[in-house]
DNA sequence: CCTTGCATAGTACGATCATTGCATAGTACA
DNA sequence: TGTACTATGCAATGATCGTACTATGCAAGG
């Protein structure tokens, strides 16, 4: 039972990784991670961002620097407390995250389309078949190949 | 249908990322990726490793340097063709990969255990429920947080 | 048989950029 | 003044590439 899910996990991690590779605007994993947070949780302060990413504030500041340089995010000085800076994802940044998501959806759709229907199968059978359709060998435990 | 798998994908990628974080011996994603390849495909030459990782030979050499320095891999000069160097994962490296896999298995087992049985459900229902059990919100599209 | 030339495998070196933390400075609020 | 938030200087590590170099093997020719 667990093995089946683990196999599906390997396949899906591979999908997620490939959807991030070969992007036009090159972003690192850390940068993408920050972008995703800004998209999902909305504008954040630098300290909050650092907390969410699990890094130090200075690291977050520099991360934001790079995102701003690439046009993927913007800084906004809060009018109430001018010490605070709100970081907001830009249109370009949002589009980038959307594209990655679209790629993931597309590849998953392809994999799902290649599966046998089997609507009455158990969860184990379903996940096993999914992993097999994705080209994963259930016995070989590690074939991610992500990035 | 695709949405269900996408939701499961988000959950599983989160699991994979967490299983890699907080390791005693700190390894980067690239290093772990190389280790996994060495574990799954056995000893490899530097060129083959570079090819599998999709990087240049010089990059692979330095990667191997770092792995060897950390005691996670070893170099072996081939006796037949002394130009060739086979890179082999060490016992420590193998243990590291095993630990990451074990963590992943454990977390997946926990998630699976929290699911309703539903052995006769369709694939869509199964994956949807899996994602829900993992605490993923189907509507928010990006909550990876991986490392 | 030996040498010369070419192909292959790996490495060394220099360079760039990203990530990260610590310590510190600057700025704004209370 | 003291506290909070952000930014910056400094430093280390890592990932990555291109180029050049060394070592080895292979094949053709003398």
């Amino acid at each position: 039972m667990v093995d089946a899910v683990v196999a599906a996990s390997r396949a899906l991690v591979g999908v997620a990784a490939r959807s991030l590779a070969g992007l036009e605007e090159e972003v690192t994993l850390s940068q993408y991670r920050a972008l995703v947070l800004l998209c999902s949780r909305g504008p954040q302060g630098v300290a909050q961002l650092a907390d969410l990413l699990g890094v130090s504030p200075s690291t977050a500041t520099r991360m934001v620097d790079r995102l701003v340089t690439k046009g993927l995010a913007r800084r906004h000085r809060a009018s109430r407390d001018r010490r605070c800076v709100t970081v907001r994802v830009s249109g370009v940044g949002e589009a980038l995250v959307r594209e990655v998501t679209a790629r993931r959806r597309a590849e998953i759709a392809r994999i799902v389309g290649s599966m046998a229907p089997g609507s009455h199968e158990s969860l184990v059978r379903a996940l096993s078949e999914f992993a097999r359709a994705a080209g994963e060998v259930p016995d070989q435990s590690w074939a991610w190949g992500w990035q």
Side-chain angles (χ1 to χ4, degrees), chain A:
Chain A
M1 182 122 160
V2 172
D3 283 330
V5 185
V6 168
S9 170
R10 283 197 294 274
L12 287 170
V13 168
V15 170
R18 279 187 294 276
S19 68
L20 194 50
L23 234 52
E24 206 164 316
E25 175 73 51
E26 296 217 343
V27 287
T28 67
L29 206 54
S30 298
Q31 290 169 9
Y32 182 70
R33 207 178 141 213
L35 273 187
V36 164
L37 283 179
L38 290 177
C39 281
S40 63
R41 307 215 178 187
Q44 301 281 321
V46 175
Q48 295 158 349
L49 201 56
D51 211 51
L52 290 171
L53 293 171
V55 299
S56 67
S58 65
T59 300
T61 292
R62 301 212 143 99
M63 176 77 70
V64 172
D65 286 347
R66 284 182 285 266
L67 291 178
V68 168
T69 299
K70 290 186 175 181
L72 301 174
R74 272 172 296 179
R75 278 189 170 95
H76 297 278
R77 205 101 221 176
S79 49
R80 316 205 166 203
D81 188 337
R82 273 200 290 280
R83 292 172 298 182
C84 300
V85 168
T86 354
V87 184
R88 177 188 297 273
V89 67
S90 74
V92 178
E94 211 169 349
L96 187 145
V97 175
R98 259 202 296 270
E99 187 190 339
V100 172
T101 304
R103 289 186 183 200
R104 182 139 63 140
R105 279 185 58 92
E107 187 167 357
I108 284 179
R110 181 184 63 73
I111 293 171
V112 168
S114 70
M115 288 172 52
S119 55
H120 289 111
E121 296 170 359
S122 67
L123 170 62
V124 174
R125 267 192 72 77
L127 290 180
S128 295
E129 179 153 12
F130 177 85
R132 195 162 56 249
E136 293 289 328
V137 185
D139 216 43
Q140 280 207 341
S141 291
W142 22 61
W144 307 22
W146 68 354
Q147 141 46 343

